[in-house]
Amino acid sequence: MHSDPAEVKKSVRTYMMVGAALLVFTAITVIANQLHLAVPLAITVALIIAVTKGSMVAAVFMHLSAEKKWIYGALLLTVVFLIVLMFVPILTVNDGIGTPTRASAGAHAGH
Amino acid sequence: MEIPYIVETRPDTGLHNGKLGIWLFLASEVMLFGALFSTYIILRVGAPEWPHGELSVLLGAINTVILISSSVTMVMAWASLKMNDWGTHRLYLVATFALAALFLVNKYFEYSEHLGKGEGPWHSTFFAIYFTLTGLHGLHIVGGMVVMAYLLGPGAKMWKKNPDQFANRIEATGLYWHFVDLVWIFLFPVLYLL
């Protein structure tokens, strides 16, 4: 991240351009929504644009493109835990808790 | 005893306290919103059908434009300070605060319309997760506004006493504000479009 006033002055143009690009991507998201794409394609397109916009905010506005390794380390750990968190729904869908087993179903039928 | 590394960076990490602190806080925020996004996936995958077109895409898009603009004004507030331009810094910070307030006004109209039609969180699973996610995000907007109001008001005195520490505070506020913008960038397509 720049702290030198001359370097910061050079970055101002980048901030403005990224701001404009984010607005353009927002317009593209809304236009893509008007096309009424099939749901899987619509989700893919919307999430690709959202990830692109998010990356621009993080890299440029939050200065992550040039940060110290301790920040990258903390964020890497966060991403690992976030991925685990996102997979929790799959675990709940695939588990057998609450699903009657063949033996218990037979026992109920016997009563 | 004076707390070390408030302004100067630690030799081993290259960071001052505030910078490391705000990033660790943001890491916890990622997990908070991540848990709610994960909940959204469970609810949506498990629902026999998911409503479409319940929310106004126009209002959502306007709020997206407002928050992106506020991110630009926030980073410019920090950049102006680094260039020793106090007046411009104040203008950009006031603009960020005003855009945040505009976002909440827009959200108020949106909430009022739905609640007026009886579409509160109790109405359906969709509205339950909509109000939870946007309500929590709205609270983060309010939190950011409180910090900005402090830095515009009594907190501004620090600029004369310790300009480097004040710039660090603006930087930390900016990091938080960009994160709030980043969350909305994902909330908009997930809730309004898909």
Side-chain angles (χ1 to χ4, degrees):
Chain A
M1 194 198 79
H2 308 304
S3 282
D4 177 40
E7 288 293 321
V8 172
K9 202 171 183 176
K10 278 186 208 165
S11 304
V12 167
R13 191 178 147 82
T14 311
Y15 297 147
M16 293 298 178
M17 284 173 69
V18 167
L22 288 169
L23 294 178
V24 170
F25 276 120
T26 302
I28 292 171
T29 311
V30 175
I31 291 165
N33 179 250
Q34 302 300 313
L35 297 175
H36 300 293
L37 302 168
V39 174
L41 184 61
I43 291 176
T44 309
V45 170
L47 288 184
I48 286 173
I49 297 173
V51 168
T52 308
K53 286 166 73 180
S55 306
M56 288 164 85
V57 169
V60 181
F61 291 163
M62 299 173 90
H63 304 122
L64 271 184
S65 57
E67 256 308 345
K68 299 285 184 294
K69 63 179 180 184
W70 274 75
I71 303 288
Y72 291 139
L75 288 179
L76 185 67
L77 202 61
T78 310
V79 169
V80 169
F81 280 110
L82 185 69
I83 290 169
V84 172
L85 193 64
M86 287 299 157
F87 274 93
V88 169
I90 295 172
L91 297 176
T92 63
V93 169
N94 292 335
D95 71 15
I97 300 168
T99 311
T101 59
R102 202 171 286 175
S104 67
H108 277 289
H111 282 286
Chain B
M1 196 186 84
E2 201 174 310
I3 302 169
Y5 310 119
I6 288 180
V7 174
E8 75 277 20
T9 56
R10 272 181 71 107
D12 50 357
T13 61
L15 298 164
H16 56 81
N17 295 346
K19 184 79 165 279
L20 185 60
I22 193 71
W23 271 111
L24 291 177
F25 170 68
L26 292 182
S28 74
E29 290 280 90
V30 168
M31 298 308 287
L32 172 67
F33 280 100
L36 286 172
F37 275 108
S38 181
T39 306
Y40 168 86
I41 295 169
I42 290 180
L43 293 174
R44 180 152 185 179
V45 170
E49 56 183 50
W50 196 255
H52 288 280
E54 298 281 332
L55 305 174
S56 164
V57 174
L58 180 68
L59 284 180
I62 289 171
N63 261 352
T64 308
V65 171
I66 289 170
L67 269 197
I68 288 170
S69 306
S70 77
S71 252
V72 175
T73 55
M74 188 72 226
V75 78
M76 287 306 296
W78 170 81
S80 308
L81 211 54
K82 285 286 176 186
M83 292 186 284
N84 283 315
D85 191 344
W86 176 250
T88 310
H89 156 74
R90 298 279 290 177
L91 272 177
Y92 277 122
L93 199 57
V94 167
T96 311
F97 185 88
L99 286 165
L102 198 60
F103 178 93
L104 288 181
V105 168
N106 202 356
K107 207 82 210 132
Y108 166 78
F109 284 121
E110 213 180 338
Y111 275 8
S112 301
E113 193 191 329
H114 290 298
L115 292 172
K117 288 193 282 185
E119 293 172 343
W122 56 85
H123 180 265
S124 62
T125 307
F126 172 78
F127 277 106
I129 195 74
Y130 163 75
F131 276 102
T132 306
L133 278 167
T134 58
L136 184 68
H137 180 264
L139 283 176
H140 279 75
I141 297 274
V142 173
M145 286 176 75
V146 169
V147 175
M148 279 184 253
Y150 173 75
L151 292 170
L152 282 166
K157 279 183 278 186
M158 183 180 268
W159 174 247
K160 284 190 178 161
K161 275 194 299 180
N162 195 339
D164 288 332
Q165 192 180 351
F166 184 77
N168 287 347
R169 286 186 173 185
I170 290 292
E171 186 189 4
T173 310
L175 286 170
Y176 170 81
W177 195 252
H178 301 313
F179 174 78
V180 172
D181 178 27
L182 213 154
V183 170
W184 183 259
I185 282 172
F186 284 93
L187 281 181
F188 173 57
V190 163
L191 294 174
Y192 289 77
L193 304 178
L194 300 177

